[in-house]
Amino acid sequence: MRTLLSVGLAICVSVSVLVVRQAGVAEAGFHCMRIHAVMGGFSSNNNIQYVELRMALGGQTFLSGHTIQFFDATNTLKATFTFPSNVANGLTGESTLIATSEFNSNVTGGAADFTFSGANTVGVNGGDPLHPVQLTGGSVVFQGITCGTPRTVVDAVAYGGGTALFGSAAVALPGSGTAQSLRLANININPADNSTEYSLQNVPVAVATVLPANLTTDFNTPRNNGRSVIKLNAPVAPVGGVAEAPDLTSSAAASSAGSDRTMQYAIVGVLAAAAMTGAAGWYVHRRRAAQLP
């Protein structure tokens, strides 16, 4: 009897441990992430936007169903993005890149892992779901269970006077006037202070592939889950200037002057012909008069 009880207890303990471990794996699948970088515009285009997450611990690949929310400077929710699927690479320091279609159209060396669209992003309170990053102040909030110190969100970054959940807001996003993004300076699990952890940094001028050993030390952004550092290209400006109509006044004047000269030549010709005819007639008349008796 004791043996049966011991076996039953062991089975219960084993099942409990298995359930706890499975729950722990599921919980640890997304909640140790940081918002690594935010861009609100590049070169001359405010629609070139992206948000990059980075894994503070390995295994944070189970993003499907979790959200990123975008607030303006008055802390009004403007848009919510929901991850439609998971990502593949899950080492510590791996990135997940979410961007606009204009971003993907103006880059070299890769593309975003997810694109803001009507299928995965909802705009509210007048927000644009296709271009959700708010300029020049606001905040980006990654929702879900926390990692480390208990809190209500995984990570959040406020900028330009936006409402900060961690410390105070970082500097404002520069919009399209520069080639910079708001970037995190560490890979710490727990957020501390947006104003000291984030700063404006230039984006790369060349493409690159980050080796697994360098994932935690390479802070270049934007980088996708395929470990590609992506180069942003300035949008191509329209070719040529404004077409000018021909100077009809000058053409008309030239045409008129030509017509006047032609008329003058014609008159001179007629007068010369008349003079020659008159001279010939006078000569004939004089010859006839000389022959009369």
Side-chain angles (χ1 to χ4, degrees):
M1 187 67 176
R2 291 179 179 176
T3 303
L4 290 175
L5 289 175
S6 299
V7 172
L9 180 60
I11 292 173
C12 289
V13 171
S14 298
V15 170
S16 298
V17 171
L18 179 61
V19 169
V20 170
R21 285 180 177 175
Q22 288 179 339
V25 170
E27 183 184 44
F30 69 91
H31 71 287
C32 296
M33 304 276 281
R34 295 298 305 274
I35 298 173
H36 181 72
V38 179
M39 173 172 276
F42 176 78
S43 188
S44 60
N45 194 337
N46 281 337
N47 290 332
I48 297 177
Q49 302 180 351
Y50 72 81
V51 175
E52 181 182 340
L53 304 181
R54 288 210 177 166
M55 301 179 191
L57 287 179
Q60 312 300 301
T61 59
F62 298 95
L63 294 171
S64 180
H66 299 292
T67 62
I68 298 176
Q69 294 182 315
F70 298 86
F71 296 82
D72 66 11
T74 66
N75 204 33
T76 300
L77 179 64
K78 306 300 284 187
T80 299
F81 165 80
T82 302
F83 284 97
S85 63
N86 301 323
V87 293
N89 291 321
L91 297 178
T92 302
E94 301 277 15
S95 289
T96 300
L97 186 62
I98 313 98
T100 60
S101 60
E102 289 84 356
F103 172 91
N104 288 328
S105 298
N106 291 279
V107 295
T108 301
D113 302 300
F114 302 98
T115 303
F116 295 116
S117 70
N120 57 36
T121 312
V122 177
V124 294
N125 301 314
D128 181 358
L130 304 184
H131 313 97
V133 177
Q134 302 298 298
L135 293 175
T136 54
S139 62
V140 179
V141 179
F142 178 41
Q143 298 282 7
I145 303 172
T146 63
C147 181
T149 304
R151 54 184 184 273
T152 57
V153 299
V154 175
D155 196 13
V157 56
Y159 51 90
T163 301
L165 299 180
F166 305 104
S168 56
V171 297
L173 287 179
S176 64
T178 68
Q180 295 181 320
S181 65
L182 186 65
R183 196 193 75 186
L184 182 64
N186 60 62
I187 197 169
N188 298 339
I189 290 176
N190 291 311
D193 188 337
N194 293 162
S195 65
T196 58
E197 289 190 290
Y198 288 87
S199 61
L200 295 177
Q201 299 292 330
N202 293 331
V203 295
V205 296
V207 300
T209 299
V210 179
L211 298 176
N214 299 328
L215 290 172
T216 60
T217 57
D218 189 301
F219 289 94
N220 282 319
T221 179
R223 189 217 296 169
N224 62 18
N225 192 248
R227 302 168 183 167
S228 296
V229 175
I230 299 171
K231 176 181 177 292
L232 278 156
N233 305 315
V236 178
V239 177
V242 178
E244 295 184 0
D247 189 351
L248 298 178
T249 302
S250 299
S251 299
S255 177
S256 176
S259 298
D260 291 343
R261 285 193 293 272
T262 302
M263 181 62 71
Q264 292 172 358
Y265 294 153
I267 292 173
V268 170
V270 169
L271 292 176
M276 293 179 65
T277 302
W282 179 82
Y283 176 78
V284 170
H285 174 73
R286 291 288 295 168
R287 290 281 298 181
R288 288 178 176 176
Q291 294 175 357
L292 291 176

